[in-house]
Amino acid sequence: MPLTDTQIKKAKSNGKVQKLNDGDGLRLEISKAGTKSFKYRIRANGKDTNITLGLYPPMTLAEARAKRDEVKAAVRQGIDPIKCKRDAKLKQLAVEQAEQQRITFSQLFEQWHDHNESEWNYKYATDIRNRITQHLLPVLGDLFIDEITPQQIIYALKQMEAKGLGDSIKKVKQYASRIFRYGVGLGLCAVDPVRDIPAADIFKKPKKENLSHLTKPQDLYQLLNAIDAYLGDISTATALKLAPHVFLRPSELAGLRWDEVTLTKTKIGDATLEHGAVLIEWERMKMKRPHVVPLSKQAKELLQTMEAFKDSSAFVFPSPRNPNRPIHRDSLGAGLKRIGFNGKQTAHGFRHTASTLLNEQGFNRDHIEKQLAHEAGDVRHDYNKAEYLKQRATMMQAWSDYLDGLKAGADVVPINHHKKG
């Protein structure tokens, strides 16, 4: 007689394996432990084999009969249900393993950053982390990398554009592409979705960098005295005072380290620098060339005021929040805004002020360009960082003296007695 639901429900374990036949090869098997399962006997590949259709009660009697009929029909068509079941199990296992190997964009970023960090300098590694953390992780961080589309990346970049950060989009996009290509190389994702983002017509062209700078003596008189009266933190205040004297870019000045500074007489090449020098290695320079700044007497004295912090920080201008980090390059621009020179003078503009006036006043253009570190090239090639150093030292001292005269309100005689050549 066929089985009934009531009969199956009431069947109990008796310490032995029980087999209750339903008919047409289907039976309910009760294990010694009391587990109930539906089984079906088939003949495949020339031999009889039992297959488990499912467990009771998750599978009902009606479902077991329907499954039995399905298997029977498959066998008639020459299909081996045991092999199909094994293949399905292997496929499911492969899917589960693939799921375990899937990682999010945030996880991929951390792997990529950790892998490369030892090859980067601190400033570069920090810049990458800050940009990705601020602009991409809030949108993409929790998404699986193999599901991220170009449209999702564009959405993240468009949010930057809406915040007025269009000038940073290109760099963030480049970092994102490098992260995905790292994932492709490790077999964690198939493609770099950044590659399909059009290079043009998607984002507004960024505004050119504001390089506002002053060159009129009366304007510089007001600027230099306003900087002297700045009441912000001592690191930013001193860096602002030093900025007009050294021609460094904001990032180079803000990140200045004590191991880059010599405040005693020093000889470099055939030049003796009476007041010391700043020597920045190629890694921190925009043009990837080592660079020497001969210090004027005034620049040396400003640096000496920061020596009180030398034992507690490796940086000449430590952050007031964390002495293990320097002030941010934007601190200089923020300081200039606080003293009323927003739109008139930028931190980078000090370089243009010096370049304009020194050229007007007769200094050799090659000496000026060399001191501005405008040369680009491969650091592996020979490079004479001390080139024109005697002349540059003379120029830097004359420039600082000129600034002091302007600050004092004197009727400063232009330093144009220096002939070009």
Side-chain angles (χ1 to χ4, degrees):
M1 294 290 292
L3 294 172
T4 64
D5 287 320
T6 301
Q7 184 181 0
I8 294 173
K9 187 175 181 180
K10 290 183 177 180
K12 304 295 182 183
S13 171
N14 62 6
K16 299 179 180 179
V17 176
Q18 302 175 66
K19 298 178 182 179
L20 306 179
N21 291 318
D22 181 63
D24 200 11
L26 178 65
R27 69 177 185 276
L28 178 76
E29 191 170 291
I30 306 173
S31 69
K32 294 179 181 180
T35 301
K36 300 175 182 179
S37 57
F38 291 107
K39 296 196 174 184
Y40 179 53
R41 188 177 184 84
I42 64 169
R43 187 167 185 81
N45 298 322
K47 60 180 181 179
D48 292 335
T49 306
N50 289 309
I51 63 172
T52 301
L53 302 180
L55 298 177
Y56 178 88
M59 175 178 277
T60 66
L61 177 59
E63 290 171 339
R65 288 169 177 165
K67 186 67 174 177
R68 182 263 323 272
D69 293 342
E70 181 183 322
V71 171
K72 183 190 295 185
V75 171
R76 286 174 180 168
Q77 296 175 25
I79 299 173
D80 185 347
I82 296 177
K83 183 179 183 300
C84 288
K85 186 175 181 179
R86 183 171 60 248
D87 291 345
K89 188 173 182 179
L90 290 174
K91 184 177 180 180
Q92 179 61 29
L93 182 61
V95 170
E96 291 174 356
Q97 289 176 340
E99 286 288 335
Q100 292 175 357
Q101 292 177 353
R102 295 177 82 195
I103 64 174
T104 63
F105 180 77
S106 180
Q107 291 170 322
L108 180 63
F109 164 64
E110 292 296 342
Q111 284 190 27
W112 172 76
H113 197 276
D114 289 346
H115 177 75
N116 292 288
E117 190 172 13
S118 62
E119 303 297 322
W120 298 333
N121 61 49
Y122 172 82
K123 174 181 172 293
Y124 185 65
T126 302
D127 178 70
I128 291 176
R129 178 170 291 281
N130 288 343
R131 290 178 189 271
I132 299 301
T133 299
Q134 292 175 19
H135 305 309
L136 294 186
L137 295 191
V139 179
L140 307 175
D142 295 331
L143 302 179
F144 287 117
I145 58 173
D146 56 344
E147 293 181 349
I148 294 175
T149 65
Q151 288 70 33
Q152 290 169 318
I153 298 171
I154 291 172
Y155 174 75
L157 298 177
K158 277 290 186 182
Q159 287 193 324
M160 292 179 61
E161 184 179 72
K163 295 176 183 176
L165 300 173
D167 56 336
S168 295
I169 288 176
K170 182 178 180 181
K171 187 167 287 188
V172 171
K173 181 183 170 188
Q174 289 172 343
Y175 290 159
S177 182
R178 289 169 61 185
I179 293 168
F180 277 109
R181 282 186 278 120
Y182 174 78
V184 171
L186 293 182
L188 299 173
C189 55
V191 296
D192 165 20
V194 181
R195 73 181 185 185
D196 295 324
I197 298 177
D201 301 326
I202 293 293
F203 306 103
K204 297 176 182 178
K205 291 183 179 180
K207 295 180 180 179
K208 291 184 178 180
E209 185 181 4
N210 181 5
L211 302 178
S212 301
H213 60 285
L214 302 173
T215 56
K216 293 181 179 179
Q218 184 58 32
D219 293 335
L220 289 171
Y221 163 78
Q222 294 176 353
L223 172 62
L224 295 171
N225 281 283
I227 289 174
D228 266 8
Y230 179 73
L231 298 177
D233 68 273
I234 189 171
S235 288
T236 301
T238 308
L240 276 175
K241 293 173 185 175
L242 184 63
H245 295 271
V246 291
F247 306 2
L248 290 173
R249 298 175 179 87
S251 60
E252 296 159 3
L253 177 59
L256 194 63
R257 301 176 62 92
W258 282 114
D259 59 13
E260 297 171 332
V261 176
T262 300
L263 295 178
T264 57
K265 181 189 292 189
T266 185
K267 187 174 179 62
I268 300 178
D270 62 353
T272 299
L273 307 179
E274 292 293 331
H275 304 295
V278 167
L279 173 55
I280 303 177
E281 295 299 334
W282 66 269
E283 294 94 338
R284 281 217 312 119
M285 297 300 297
K286 178 180 179 180
M287 297 302 182
K288 301 306 177 186
R289 294 283 203 183
H291 184 54
V292 176
V293 179
L295 295 176
S296 64
K297 178 174 178 281
Q298 294 89 332
K300 173 183 176 180
E301 290 173 352
L302 286 169
L303 288 167
Q304 285 175 324
T305 66
M306 296 303 295
E307 285 191 300
F309 304 96
K310 194 172 184 179
D311 292 337
S312 58
S313 178
F315 297 99
V316 176
F317 305 113
S319 165
R321 295 190 183 91
N322 183 354
N324 294 320
R325 293 187 177 184
I327 58 172
H328 195 276
R329 62 181 180 182
D330 292 343
S331 298
L332 302 176
L336 289 168
K337 290 179 182 179
R338 290 192 191 100
I339 60 176
F341 286 84
N342 187 27
K344 300 177 182 178
Q345 179 73 38
T346 63
H348 199 284
F350 285 120
R351 291 165 53 81
H352 294 269
T353 296
S355 177
T356 299
L357 291 179
L358 287 172
N359 274 291
E360 285 181 359
Q361 297 175 4
F363 280 92
N364 184 295
R365 180 173 179 79
D366 290 339
H367 302 168
I368 298 169
E369 292 298 297
K370 191 74 173 181
Q371 197 53 59
L372 290 167
H374 277 162
E375 305 93 337
D378 193 330
V379 299
R380 293 172 296 184
H381 294 169
D382 292 337
Y383 178 75
N384 181 11
K385 60 180 177 289
E387 190 175 3
Y388 308 133
L389 197 52
K390 285 182 179 181
Q391 299 92 327
R392 286 156 54 197
T394 300
M395 179 181 72
M396 297 299 278
Q397 185 59 60
W399 175 247
S400 286
D401 292 341
Y402 178 70
L403 293 177
D404 273 2
L406 288 176
K407 186 168 63 173
D411 185 12
V412 183
V413 176
I415 44 180
N416 59 5
H417 57 279
H418 295 272
K419 296 181 180 180
K420 296 182 180 180

